[in-house]
Amino acid sequence: MARNTVPSNISRLVTLATIALVVTILYVAHTILVPLALAILFTFVLSPVVARLERWKVHRAPAVIGVVLICFMILLLIGWIVSGQLGNLADNLDQYRGNIAQKLINLSPHSQTWMKFTRVASEVEEKFDKPTTQATTQSATQPTTMPISSDGKIAVSDDNPVPVAIVRSRSAPLDIMQEYLGYALGPLATAGLVIIFVIFILLRREDLRDRLIKLVAHGSLTITTQAIDDAAARISRYLTMQSLVNIGFGLIMGLSFWIIGIPNSFLWGLLCCIFRFIPYIGTWIAAIFPLGLSLAVFKTNGQFIATAIIYLAVELIIANFVEPYLYGSSTGLSEVAVLLAAVFWAWLWGPIGLLLSTPLTTILVVIGKHFPNLEFFDTLLSDTPVLDPHMRYYQRLLAMDENESLKLLEEYLEKMPLENVYDHVVIPALVLTEKDRRQGQLSEERQKFILTAVTNHIQRLGERREELKKKAEESENQKPSELKKVIDNIPLINSEKIATPETQFYPVPTTGRPEIQVLCLPAHSDADSLTAAMLAQCLSIRGFTSNSLDVTLLAGEMMQKVQEKKPQIVAISALPPRAMRFSRYLCKRLRAWNEQLPIAVGLWNSRIDLRLAKRRLGLEGNIHAAKSLCSLIEVIDQLAKHFPHI
């Protein structure tokens, strides 16, 4: 064991050291890496356009240069329009000065609370500043005499130094130009590097891709190629959808500002579009300008309220409905990952890092998805569930969160039939419960909670299924309901097939008959009693007359109930690890009472081969076994066909 642990720990340390080194390089070399990252981002956007021109028989070099020049000319045009609009706004600011002052005057009589706080704060400040003020006052009241020498000039001594005045020299025009050029050269140099990088990456994109594969593949050509294609597809799709959404948002807001009457409405709509590319904060930064202007321009507050309501409503609709529908799983990032990525990249590269945070983090998720050594990126940042459905459900039960665990089951019930929810979520969770109970890892309090919660969940799921069925019946007159087809026609699932919440099922006719009575017996534990109740509930839905017995009954009492009810079929529910032992005992008792009685044994989630299980159980004749609820229901369906009408 130690031999395996030491290399694993060393590998983790090497991975952490590598990550720290990469982050350091990203921070130190940001002057070169930021333009390169921006160029790669533009390459993802422009590459489909260049590829389309090449399919139209345009040579690559003219296509690349033409697309890049048009793109950056559009950006320059936008910058020129924005600067012109800002200049126009600056010229008109004097017209709004009186309106702003009047609103402040109108606001002051109604802000008595604020005035009280201001007065108290001023008094506290005066108390703290009083000694300094008194000293300053005393020194100010004392007459200041300057010693004069015999020639009428001020005498200079250690107690009376020469007064010095600093006078700024006038700056030469060349100095002013150099100062402003210093501010502009940085962004211009970055823009030039970006343009050069974009042109050369687009011109040599296949060669650069081959070199990247050669550099990082290390023999895994297939995995590396899939990772590059996956990252390119995700980022291109995300950027395209984001651009369309932001352009639509800017047009809607610009039109709304124009209707309200806010000056320079086109400018504010354009800024809303541009700032919305910055995650989280960009939208609200863009809102400051039109909101402030609506207060300054108009004499009443109605336009301000209308602007705020329209802006908030459009943003909420786009963020909660439009973006989830259009983006879907395009990036594969969770919401928390997007937020953390925004903070990290903003800290690393500033505002440009905030702009690039989502694409760069998407690349990390793709790397973690395709390379096992960096799988933790996919685990931490992706939006795919990291736990299986039954593990998620069991975790909620261990946390003693009954509402959240029930909500999880109801979500699965909307995606799959009830018996599949039991087969792939509830029963595996009960298997884990039995395992932890036998190993002494579960306290008695948690055991009782889990059993009580699962009992309540079984009842609630049955009620929820009926609610879904009624909704389907109410809507069937308007249009065919796929939900009703899934609920009313429960499929037969092969016992070897493991379903997930996204699995699609094809409906088959129900074959249950109400005159066939099925009695479900628990083998030994409370968990067996719960699975027997699930089986009885699913059989009732299928049209059988079914009941389950409680595990508190002794074997002799169970046999007495069987003799009283005289069922046509008996089903035994047994969970590991003692499923075989107690199932064999019940089968022998039932066979001793009636050798012809059909018996169906559910060995839930057992890993044993069914043929070997039948030999161990001593099953012969009309006795059958299955590993899943769906398979056992299928077995009972087949057994019911052999009964004549009663």
Side-chain angles (χ1 to χ4, degrees), residues 10-24:
I10 293 175
S11 176
R12 292 176 182 176
L13 290 175
V14 170
T15 303
L16 290 175
T18 303
I19 293 174
L21 178 62
V22 170
V23 172
T24 304

Side-chain angles (χ1 to χ4, degrees), residues 356-542:
L356 298 171
S357 60
T358 300
L360 293 175
T361 310
T362 301
I363 295 175
L364 292 179
V365 170
V366 172
I367 291 173
K369 179 181 178 182
H370 293 279
F371 295 94
N373 292 336
L374 300 173
E375 186 180 2
F376 62 91
F377 281 132
D378 184 51
T379 302
L380 293 175
L381 303 175
S382 70
D383 59 352
T384 55
V386 295
L387 295 178
D388 293 333
H390 71 280
M391 294 291 291
R392 296 179 65 194
Y393 177 62
Y394 186 51
Q395 188 276 327
R396 269 64 166 184
L397 293 176
L398 288 176
M400 303 179 72
D401 191 343
E402 184 173 357
N403 293 331
E404 186 64 27
S405 55
L406 176 59
K407 180 181 177 182
L408 196 64
L409 291 181
E410 290 179 342
E411 291 177 0
Y412 290 138
L413 184 61
E414 295 179 356
K415 301 175 183 178
M416 64 171 71
L418 179 61
E419 57 265 48
N420 289 93
V421 176
Y422 289 150
D423 251 341
H424 308 299
V425 183
V426 183
I427 293 178
L430 289 176
V431 172
L432 294 176
T433 303
E434 285 296 295
K435 178 183 176 182
D436 290 346
R437 183 184 66 82
R438 288 182 57 80
Q439 294 178 354
Q441 298 180 2
L442 276 182
S443 63
E444 185 176 351
E445 179 185 6
R446 275 191 166 81
Q447 293 179 38
K448 291 181 179 179
F449 173 83
I450 291 174
L451 295 175
T452 303
V454 174
T455 303
N456 297 334
H457 293 171
I458 294 172
Q459 181 180 359
R460 175 56 188 157
L461 287 182
E463 296 172 355
R464 179 60 178 163
R465 183 195 174 279
E466 292 301 319
E467 293 173 4
L468 295 175
K469 183 177 180 180
K470 288 180 181 179
K471 289 182 180 179
E473 291 174 349
E474 291 173 358
S475 60
E476 70 176 350
N477 295 331
Q478 301 176 2
K479 59 181 180 179
S481 175
E482 294 297 328
L483 181 60
K484 184 177 185 299
K485 292 179 182 179
V486 173
I487 294 175
D488 289 343
N489 304 298
I490 297 179
L492 302 178
I493 304 298
N494 192 312
S495 61
E496 300 300 324
K497 180 179 179 180
I498 302 300
T500 61
E502 291 77 16
T503 305
Q504 300 296 322
F505 302 99
Y506 296 93
V508 299
T510 56
T511 58
R513 287 156 50 182
E515 66 271 13
I516 302 297
Q517 182 180 5
V518 183
L519 188 62
C520 303
L521 308 181
H524 172 66
S525 64
D526 290 323
D528 294 335
S529 181
L530 291 174
T531 52
M534 297 177 208
L535 177 60
Q537 185 185 63
C538 293
L539 289 172
S540 298
I541 293 172
R542 294 294 293 253

Side-chain angles (χ1 to χ4, degrees), residues 612-632:
L612 179 60
K614 292 184 71 172
R615 271 200 304 269
R616 289 188 180 181
L617 290 171
L619 301 179
E620 297 178 358
N622 202 12
I623 300 180
H624 308 270
K627 295 181 181 180
S628 66
L629 199 65
C630 292
S631 299
L632 196 64

Side-chain angles (χ1 to χ4, degrees), residues 204-387:
R204 307 288 295 173
R205 58 182 184 273
E206 287 85 1
D207 180 65
L208 291 174
R209 182 183 60 190
D210 295 342
R211 294 179 185 277
L212 180 62
I213 291 174
K214 178 65 177 178
L215 182 65
V216 302
H218 300 294
S220 302
L221 180 63
T222 304
I223 295 177
T224 307
T225 303
Q226 291 176 353
I228 293 175
D229 292 342
D230 189 9
R234 289 193 189 194
I235 295 175
S236 297
R237 187 164 57 248
Y238 168 74
L239 292 175
T240 302
M241 291 295 101
Q242 188 185 36
S243 299
L244 293 176
V245 170
N246 293 350
I247 291 172
F249 179 76
L251 290 175
I252 293 173
M253 296 315 303
L255 181 62
S256 302
F257 298 152
W258 177 74
I259 294 174
I260 293 173
I262 297 177
N264 307 97
S265 57
F266 175 77
L267 170 64
W268 311 126
L270 184 61
L271 289 181
C272 288
C273 173
I274 295 173
F275 274 92
R276 208 174 186 281
F277 281 95
I278 302 176
Y280 295 107
I281 63 173
T283 304
W284 308 111
I285 292 176
I288 295 175
F289 303 103
L291 288 175
L293 200 58
S294 64
L295 275 176
V297 173
F298 304 101
K299 295 182 178 180
T300 62
N301 295 326
Q303 289 80 3
F304 171 78
I305 297 174
T307 304
I309 292 175
I310 293 174
Y311 198 94
L312 185 62
V314 174
E315 171 60 23
L316 291 178
I317 291 173
I318 291 179
N320 293 285
F321 299 100
V322 177
E323 286 183 339
Y325 177 77
L326 292 178
Y327 294 172
S329 57
S330 58
T331 60
L333 299 178
S334 66
E335 295 179 356
V336 177
V338 174
L339 179 60
L340 292 176
V343 174
F344 173 77
W345 290 107
W347 165 76
L348 197 65
W349 285 350
I352 296 180
L354 189 61
L355 178 65
L356 298 171
S357 60
T358 300
L360 293 175
T361 310
T362 301
I363 295 175
L364 292 179
V365 170
V366 172
I367 291 173
K369 179 181 178 182
H370 293 279
F371 295 94
N373 292 336
L374 300 173
E375 186 180 2
F376 62 91
F377 281 132
D378 184 51
T379 302
L380 293 175
L381 303 175
S382 70
D383 59 352
T384 55
V386 295
L387 295 178

